[in-house]
Amino acid sequence: MFSTRRLRVAAGLAVSALVAVVAVSTGTSATSQSPKVVIWADADRVPAVTQVANAWARSKGVTVQVVQKQSGPIRQEVSTVAVENAPDVIVGAHDWVGELSGNGSIIPISPSAATKKQFPAYALNAFSYGTAIKKLYGAPTALENIALVTNTKLAKVPTSFADLEKRALAAKKKTKSQVGIAVQQGQGDAYHMYPFFSGLGGYVFGANKAGNLDPSDIGLANPKFLKNAPLIDKWNKEGLIRSQVNDSIAKDLFLKGKVAYYITGPWFLADIRKSGVPYAVSAFPQIVPGIKSAPFLGVGGMMVTKYSSAHGVESLAKDLVANYMMQPAAQLTLATANDRSPANLKALVQIKDKDLKAFGAASAGGVPMPNIPQMASVWQDLGAAWVRSTKGANSTPARNSFIAAQKSIAQKIG
């Protein structure tokens, strides 16, 4: 599963493990002396990456080696790995770009203008970075975001947030559930809570005149959000959401028919389908008039490393990533193999799966997770602000909680 949320967790907790090495067959055209391009990918990505890279390798008469690793260690180890063991290409998330471009681990790519026109601006911006001049550091291949999943036996797809709130609480009373909406928090989950946050007027970082993210402009406690923050206290009082609900509890509540509404991403589609619960996927409704309740967007993709030059395959690696992997056919294979929407617009219109189409529609107006290094100082405090405000009894008033979170983040960023 390419869940950017899980990639962040893995980056902090996972221990590096080389699980397997898959050598891509290149047919009779490749020899032991042919150039070799090494790709690091996580287990969920290996089959599709191998398939697509295999086709490219045959056309070039080269060898490709796909190395299966845990996703977190890819981000960690690419900066410190010995040259002889290093990858030429890595598969990962767009929010790695600020860190990895800053320490020189990845290098810019230059797809043709015609190729770039096949991608939405936000997908390319997600893999772009630079304080003065932005450069593209990766090929976006797959998009993911959370959406609202409705148990259509318990309730209708809501037409407004007021409708969602009313129906969610009615189902809660009927099933005697602990919450009205199953959305995971646990120890804190700023990613899954983002539609609530943005829908109340919150933002993480503003932008400067050049259009780049400005870490000095922190929007957790901006005036618009603070004006709407009492709604969080209302939701807490009525039990609409609860911080005690973690990922497994949220999924269990929905799959067992205890809640009418579930906020999750396409990574749980297989479980939902298998459960037999009748469902529909839709966008998160607007909470406050004039403010979009936008989800965070995760963009998966491929990046060329600095080691490709030392290995003598930089031009090949760039051709694979900036040319071949950005074409519609490759994008369709890479994305749909893991229940994701392709970033390439020509590939996107070929999607036939109604659920993936619905998740794609729910991404409209979404916000790519900030890819600047300062974002690492945000996740914990933003998640903790929600936990403090929605833990039921003895909760902290939302206004106070988010003001405290903003102060903590500002101190960390300096």
Side-chain angles (χ1 to χ4, degrees), residues 22-27 29-30 35-41 45-67 88-91 141 302 316-317 319-321 323-327 329-331 333-334:
V22 182
V24 178
S25 170
T26 59
S29 61
K36 180 174 72 173
V37 175
V38 177
I39 304 172
W40 282 4
R45 248 52 54 185
V46 164
V49 169
T50 300
Q51 178 184 342
V52 178
N54 185 33
W56 172 82
R58 283 195 299 266
S59 71
K60 298 294 179 179
V62 301
T63 300
V64 173
Q65 188 180 58
V66 182
V67 179
D88 303 301
V89 174
I90 58 173
V91 178
T141 57
M302 305 184 76
L316 284 169
D319 179 68
L320 171 64
V321 173
N323 180 21
Y324 199 83
M325 292 295 186
M326 294 184 74
Q327 297 309 309
Q331 293 260 317
T333 299
L334 291 171

Side-chain angles (χ1 to χ4, degrees), residues 302-386:
M302 305 184 76
M303 295 158 269
V304 178
T305 76
K306 64 180 181 181
Y307 306 104
S308 62
S309 178
H311 297 162
V313 295
E314 180 179 332
S315 61
L316 284 169
K318 286 183 174 180
D319 179 68
L320 171 64
V321 173
N323 180 21
Y324 199 83
M325 292 295 186
M326 294 184 74
Q327 297 309 309
Q331 293 260 317
L332 201 59
T333 299
L334 291 171
T336 57
N338 294 100
D339 278 336
R340 300 296 188 273
S341 298
N344 184 294
L345 295 173
K346 289 187 175 180
L348 185 61
V349 298
Q350 298 179 48
I351 294 292
K352 300 185 184 302
D353 186 291
K354 67 179 181 64
D355 294 328
L356 290 185
K357 284 187 175 181
F359 272 105
S363 74
V367 179
M369 290 182 293
N371 63 9
I372 60 177
Q374 291 88 345
M375 187 61 191
S377 299
V378 173
W379 292 114
Q380 181 178 356
D381 283 303
L382 181 52
W386 280 105

Side-chain angles (χ1 to χ4, degrees), residues 40-368:
W40 282 4
D42 66 275
D44 288 342
R45 248 52 54 185
V46 164
V49 169
T50 300
Q51 178 184 342
V52 178
N54 185 33
W56 172 82
R58 283 195 299 266
S59 71
K60 298 294 179 179
V62 301
T63 300
V64 173
Q65 188 180 58
V66 182
V67 179
Q68 181 177 310
K69 296 180 72 70
Q70 293 181 15
S71 55
I74 293 177
R75 180 178 187 173
Q76 296 168 343
E77 294 177 18
V78 72
S79 303
T80 58
V81 64
V83 175
E84 60 270 23
N85 300 320
D88 303 301
V89 174
I90 58 173
V91 178
H94 80 273
D95 56 346
W96 299 3
V97 168
E99 174 190 341
L100 298 185
S101 64
N103 63 31
S105 297
I106 56 176
I107 58 178
I109 59 173
S110 301
S112 68
T115 296
K116 288 194 290 186
K117 286 182 179 179
Q118 298 177 38
F119 292 81
Y122 65 78
L124 295 174
N125 286 337
F127 272 97
S128 301
Y129 187 75
T131 53
I133 301 175
K134 282 189 175 182
K135 296 180 180 180
L136 184 65
Y137 282 92
T141 57
L143 306 177
E144 67 175 18
N145 55 274
I146 56 177
L148 183 69
V149 186
T150 300
N151 178 329
T152 54
K153 183 179 179 180
L154 286 178
K156 293 182 179 180
V157 175
T159 57
S160 65
F161 189 84
D163 187 38
L164 167 64
E165 188 174 9
K166 178 182 177 181
R167 294 181 185 278
L169 293 175
K172 175 180 181 292
K173 182 178 181 180
K174 179 180 180 180
T175 64
K176 295 180 172 56
S177 174
Q178 64 195 99
V179 291
I181 300 175
V183 54
Q184 68 185 61
Q185 289 195 68
Q187 299 301 310
D189 195 318
Y191 177 80
H192 279 82
M193 296 305 295
Y194 198 81
F196 293 96
F197 177 65
S198 64
L200 294 174
Y203 64 90
V204 177
F205 297 123
N208 58 25
K209 292 182 179 180
N212 297 320
L213 292 172
D214 182 0
S216 69
D217 179 4
I218 304 170
L220 272 70
N222 74 79
K224 185 179 294 185
F225 178 83
L226 293 182
K227 178 182 178 181
N228 296 319
L231 285 174
I232 301 174
D233 301 326
K234 177 176 179 286
W235 302 336
N236 177 64
K237 183 177 180 180
E238 64 193 12
L240 187 68
I241 53 178
R242 276 286 185 269
S243 62
Q244 293 89 341
V245 175
N246 59 23
D247 57 347
S248 60
I249 293 174
K251 183 167 71 169
D252 191 62
L253 285 170
F254 187 78
L255 298 187
K256 291 184 177 179
K258 296 295 185 181
V259 293
Y261 301 106
Y262 181 29
I263 296 174
T264 192
W267 44 87
F268 283 146
L269 267 176
D271 298 287
I272 294 172
R273 289 165 174 164
K274 185 179 178 180
S275 73
V277 172
Y279 69 93
V281 179
S282 62
F284 196 87
Q286 187 179 77
I287 300 172
V288 177
I291 301 178
K292 171 73 176 178
S293 295
F296 257 150
L297 297 180
V299 187
M302 305 184 76
M303 295 158 269
V304 178
T305 76
K306 64 180 181 181
Y307 306 104
S308 62
S309 178
H311 297 162
V313 295
E314 180 179 332
S315 61
L316 284 169
K318 286 183 174 180
D319 179 68
L320 171 64
V321 173
N323 180 21
Y324 199 83
M325 292 295 186
M326 294 184 74
Q327 297 309 309
Q331 293 260 317
L332 201 59
T333 299
L334 291 171
T336 57
N338 294 100
D339 278 336
R340 300 296 188 273
S341 298
N344 184 294
L345 295 173
K346 289 187 175 180
L348 185 61
V349 298
Q350 298 179 48
I351 294 292
K352 300 185 184 302
D353 186 291
K354 67 179 181 64
D355 294 328
L356 290 185
K357 284 187 175 181
F359 272 105
S363 74
V367 179

